[in-house]
Amino acid sequence: MLEGKKILLGISGSIAAYKCAAMTRLFVKAGAEVQVLITANAADFVSPLTLATLSKNPVHSQFVKNNQGEWTNHVELGLWADLFIIAPCSANTLSKMANGICDNLLLATYLSAKCPVFFAPAMDLDMYLHPSTQANIQKIIGYGNTFIEPNAGELASGLVGPGRMAEPEEIFEKTQAFFNHSLPLRNLNVLITAGPTYEAIDPVRFIGNNSSGKMGFAIAETFANAGAHINLVCGPTHLKINHPNIKRIDVTSAAQMHQNVMANYTNADVVVMSAAVADFTPVQISSEKIKKQGTDLQLSLTKTTDILAELGKNKTKQILIGFALETNNEEANALEKLKRKNLDLIVLNSLQDKDAGFAGENNKVTIFEKTGKKTAYELKTKNAVAQDLLKHLIQLLHA
Ligand code: CTP
């Protein structure tokens, strides 16, 4: 899973360059954005057209793109990438990287790149074993770059030994491990609630609310992409979610939500209560459909358990994030809830904001911290709001 990761693939001249087509495809299939940089020699081994088609981006090879003087900005390429993989890295490119030589676009980008760099050498046995090559590898490792060791096997020359570039799958796995390691919520268990609850009146009727679950689902997806393992307890919603890090637990009523949240609380590092839990539920559920007799119907309601307040009381290590939906005296009410429920953050949605709220794609929130610090955001998509919440959470985790 490499969703949204930006990978710059630098290809130098070696027969192994043909493997870069498969490698590009693996990255793109995993959700990464890929740009390819190729040396003139590499283009003899793999077609730029193939790489451009598979990466869905133009392939960069020249400092000057056309005779109108448009140039390829190597600094921008280096800044764009989250990771620069030089594979295959020929003896020639290796030696130039080790010595700061800059006579092509790949090398200029290498010298200006700010992101981590992987290099996967590929060359013939004797070239690989030559002391100068070995010294160059050590030099490049010394610059903080990651060495992807070649495999031993039959080489293009017919010689047998080390020098064969690591297979695309191996480089892919190393890349995935690198990104997993750098994910901000890696190894964190997050419990999220979403959607409404339905409180049954009789077998066909219920008391519910307009919550769509979209905000909670956006948070679940954003946090999962940041490496967290999510238990998503959700009330009735038509939304679908499919993510290897998300376990979905469907419930209907506030009582079921309460039960499932408590069952997953001890293991949770972070809880986000974005569900619109019903505050009241019928005292009795009629076993048969209530007939319309008389002119009035009196329903007797009782308070549901305030799940978040209970979590706050039993907090051990958890970071607790609550939501508040207010129509008046918003700020004071949100801050009162933050304190009363022993929360670390509260996200205030105001129903006074046009285009924001339950069913739509957008939301406008203000986030309050325990210290009273307030951050008011503009109207934005629920996914973007989830990103803002992620930033607040990362700050809390590092506080
Ligand atoms: N919440 C909960 N259990 C409930 C009701 C609400 O855990 N039975 C959570 C919600 O998921 C949300 C926060 O508490 O994170 C909202 O607080 P709440 O006091 O219910 O706010 P309102 O519903 O706005 O209540 P009121 O208008 O009564 O203040």
Side-chain angles (χ1 to χ4, degrees):
M1 196 192 52
L2 296 175
E3 256 102 28
K5 301 295 176 227
K6 298 187 176 93
I7 297 174
L8 186 60
L9 178 60
I11 307 177
S12 63
S14 152
I15 175 69
Y18 82 90
K19 294 183 183 175
C20 291
M23 191 150 57
T24 302
R25 176 137 178 72
L26 282 174
F27 288 142
V28 171
K29 256 184 95 175
E33 264 183 76
V34 179
Q35 295 211 58
V36 179
L37 253 174
I38 190 166
T39 65
N41 287 341
D44 291 334
F45 295 102
V46 60
S47 139
L49 182 60
T50 305
L51 296 166
T53 310
L54 291 172
S55 68
K56 303 184 176 122
N57 277 313
V59 169
H60 310 281
S61 59
Q62 309 284 344
F63 283 108
V64 179
K65 281 188 203 162
N66 52 36
N67 50 17
Q68 267 94 56
E70 197 188 334
W71 72 301
T72 309
N73 190 330
H74 57 88
V75 177
E76 258 177 25
L77 275 175
L79 289 177
W80 170 86
D82 296 320
L83 177 67
F84 186 14
I85 304 173
I86 303 176
C89 186
S90 67
N92 187 34
T93 295
L94 195 75
S95 151
K96 289 176 178 174
M97 283 165 64
N99 293 291
I101 296 171
C102 178
D103 61 0
N104 64 34
L105 184 64
L106 190 153
L107 292 162
T109 308
Y110 169 67
L111 284 181
S112 47
K114 293 269 183 283
C115 63
V117 178
F118 285 6
F119 66 106
M123 65 199 73
D124 206 29
L125 175 65
D126 296 324
M127 293 166 82
Y128 182 67
L129 295 180
H130 195 280
S132 66
T133 304
Q134 291 302 315
N136 287 334
I137 290 173
Q138 291 312 317
K139 246 180 155 177
I140 299 173
I141 293 173
Y143 301 154
N145 301 155
T146 301
F147 171 47
I148 301 185
E149 209 177 338
N151 292 327
E154 190 175 335
L155 303 167
S157 61
L159 292 173
V160 177
R164 221 162 75 176
M165 187 181 85
E167 293 303 319
E169 290 75 12
E170 294 174 76
I171 298 177
F172 176 78
E173 269 166 32
K174 285 199 161 44
T175 304
Q176 210 168 22
F178 161 78
F179 281 117
N180 283 344
H181 194 77
S182 60
L183 290 172
L185 302 189
R186 184 175 57 101
N187 296 337
L188 222 60
N189 292 319
V190 180
L191 173 60
I192 299 174
T193 64
T197 64
Y198 287 178
E199 309 305 313
I201 298 170
D202 68 16
V204 293
R205 301 184 182 94
F206 58 83
I207 300 170
N209 61 65
N210 283 330
S211 169
S212 63
K214 282 180 187 163
M215 193 60 246
F217 274 55
I219 295 168
E221 191 140 35
T222 303
F223 285 18
N225 283 340
H229 295 283
I230 312 282
N231 278 317
L232 175 63
V233 181
C234 49
T237 166
H238 296 300
L239 298 178
K240 295 195 172 24
I241 201 155
N242 187 10
H243 193 293
N245 283 11
I246 300 177
K247 183 178 159 207
R248 176 178 180 153
I249 303 161
D250 285 292
V251 298
T252 306
S253 63
Q256 288 168 354
M257 185 166 278
H258 176 219
Q259 194 191 348
N260 281 280
V261 165
M262 295 322 291
N264 288 289
Y265 188 44
T266 316
N267 269 342
D269 301 298
V270 178
V271 183
V272 184
M273 279 293 303
S274 68
V277 189
D279 290 327
F280 290 93
T281 191
V283 174
Q284 271 192 328
I285 306 174
S286 167
S287 57
E288 286 164 9
K289 188 180 165 213
I290 300 171
K291 294 303 238 179
K292 50 176 178 306
Q293 294 157 339
T295 49
D296 297 328
L297 172 70
Q298 301 288 332
L299 274 180
S300 188
L301 303 177
T302 180
K303 252 196 183 154
T304 58
T305 305
D306 189 326
I307 306 170
L308 191 52
E310 189 170 324
L311 298 181
K313 275 195 203 110
N314 296 296
K315 189 155 138 179
T316 50
K317 55 172 180 176
Q318 294 86 353
I319 290 178
L320 287 188
I321 303 177
F323 273 69
L325 181 70
E326 307 289 345
T327 49
N328 58 303
N329 217 5
E330 301 164 324
E331 195 165 324
N333 284 340
L335 285 169
E336 183 276 325
K337 253 168 226 173
L338 176 99
K339 204 161 171 217
R340 177 165 47 88
K341 300 196 189 192
N342 193 17
L343 309 181
D344 298 277
L345 285 181
I346 193 155
V347 182
L348 167 69
N349 312 268
S350 167
L351 273 188
Q352 287 175 356
D353 284 305
K354 203 161 95 25
D355 300 327
F358 268 172
E361 297 305 321
N362 297 325
N363 209 354
K364 185 162 184 246
V365 304
T366 305
I367 298 181
F368 295 92
E369 293 170 27
K370 217 159 49 175
T371 55
K373 188 178 165 213
K374 164 185 169 182
T375 317
Y377 291 95
E378 293 304 307
L379 182 72
K380 48 177 85 179
T381 65
K382 288 183 175 171
N383 283 330
V385 172
Q387 289 290 348
D388 289 333
L389 190 58
L390 174 62
K391 282 184 207 138
H392 279 266
L393 176 58
I394 292 169
Q395 270 175 18
L396 276 182
L397 290 167
H398 292 135

